[in-house]
Amino acid sequence: MSIEKNWEELGDDIYCIDTGFLRPKMTACYLIREGDAAAILDTGTNFTAPTVYALLNVLGLTRDNVKYVIPTHVHLDHAGGVGQLMADCANAQLVIHPKGAPHMIDPSRIVAGATAVYGEERFANDYGTLLPVDEERVIAAQDGDTFDLNGRTLTFYDTPGHANHHGCILDSKSRAIVTGDTFGLSYRELKTDKGDYIFAPSTPVAFDPDAWHQSIDKLMALNPSAMLLTHYSRVTDLESLAQQLHRNIDAISEIAISEEGEEAGRHERIKGELGDLTAQQIIDHGVDMSKEQILEFLSSDLELNAQGLEVWLKRRAKARG
């Protein structure tokens, strides 16, 4: 697929860009355009940049027209391309959660952590080289801060739960919210005539179910027209999906809590129970896939979610002393 075809216009001058990370339609980057100004929300990896620039060109804009780069949080499928975009877009400011800002100014800790997990070769293939961002170009956004895009207002909301450095952005024109991972994952392949299937990514290291419930309610109270998910694209049946997501957070928390105090082999048991729960829900949702196919399709998600729940249990144990 040529990069010129690798996006979808969602209306109101909002474009969903398929970053191509790991597989098609897994990870999105959003471009919002108002007149001669653009904002990039979630960036994908370094390898997303050429697609962003191709879209700017189609829209009659250049890199100099990018006013803001706004990752929802610093997980690399959302923020790995920040440094490259900021290096190429000379007029852009980086808007980011205060807890995420240091990691974009000096990404060495992120690089070290991800390299330890994936190895140097896979890290280079998946993410490229992470570039630091000049501190003077970084805005540490507080809850409720607003940013002007040619009269169009982008409002930042602090939304912990998936990560403690997570923020979501409400667009005043469309009333849609770019949600990162706060409003869950809803892959297009799992949509049926029953609607979208949604679930919570409990990836390491800051899963917090209580905070997450509050963040979902906070977003819903804004009465949005749609949620723009990084994984993947726009969803609109928001009341139903919010309830699904609340239930899913409770269900995976219960799976983890049932394993407290039983550390030997715990990771594999949690992963197995997550797989059983998710596969059955997807089959009941009417997706034409076998359990084995579902487990293969979601293998990376299930592994990361199990890791995150394991970290959460260790944090709970430490808090109890």
Side-chain angles (χ1 to χ4, degrees), residues 37-262:
I40 310 299
L41 295 90
D42 274 358
T43 67
T45 70
N46 281 346
F47 304 118
T48 311
T51 311
V52 172
Y53 305 149
L55 175 55
L56 286 170
N57 183 62
V58 167
L59 297 176
L61 303 176
T62 72
R63 302 175 194 185
D64 289 342
N65 294 111
V66 176
K67 187 172 184 180
Y68 302 114
V69 174
I70 313 177
T72 56
H73 59 303
V74 303
H75 292 168
L76 292 180
D77 51 337
H78 299 258
V82 163
Q84 187 67 59
L85 284 170
M86 291 296 292
D88 294 341
C89 302
N91 297 325
Q93 291 179 294
L94 175 64
V95 176
I96 191 168
H97 193 287
K99 292 180 180 177
H103 296 289
M104 297 291 95
I105 294 166
D106 178 7
S108 59
R109 285 181 60 191
I110 292 179
V111 172
T115 302
V117 172
Y118 300 118
E120 290 186 7
E121 183 177 358
R122 181 178 169 189
F123 180 87
N125 287 336
D126 286 350
Y127 302 107
T129 301
L130 270 62
L131 302 178
V133 178
D134 185 345
E135 186 172 359
E136 294 182 355
R137 299 176 64 194
V138 177
I139 300 173
Q142 304 298 320
D143 187 57
D145 280 357
T146 59
F147 300 91
D148 176 68
L149 190 71
N150 272 353
R152 183 174 188 158
T153 302
L154 305 177
T155 306
F156 179 92
Y157 291 97
D158 185 17
T159 55
H162 167 75
N164 60 15
H165 56 276
H166 199 299
C168 296
I169 299 89
L170 172 67
D171 166 46
S172 64
K173 186 172 184 177
S174 65
R175 297 298 301 173
I177 301 175
V178 176
T179 62
D181 287 342
T182 295
F183 206 73
L185 278 59
S186 185
Y187 294 129
R188 301 301 87 207
E189 294 91 339
L190 304 180
K191 184 172 184 176
T192 69
D193 56 8
K194 293 183 179 181
D196 295 301
Y197 173 78
I198 203 161
F199 65 104
S202 57
T203 45
V205 293
F207 175 66
D208 183 338
D210 292 337
W212 205 334
H213 285 305
Q214 293 172 20
S215 291
I216 294 166
D217 290 341
K218 181 177 185 175
L219 295 182
M220 290 297 292
L222 298 171
N223 194 29
S225 64
M227 301 295 192
L228 306 180
L229 281 54
T230 302
H231 312 286
Y232 180 82
S233 198
R234 177 176 54 190
V235 295
T236 56
D237 188 12
L238 302 185
E239 289 290 345
S240 173
L241 292 173
Q243 292 309 310
Q244 281 188 53
L245 194 52
H246 281 305
R247 290 194 297 270
N248 188 252
I249 291 168
D250 288 339
I252 65 175
S253 299
E254 290 168 8
I255 286 173
I257 289 170
S258 72
E259 293 288 347
E260 272 186 319
E262 300 290 338

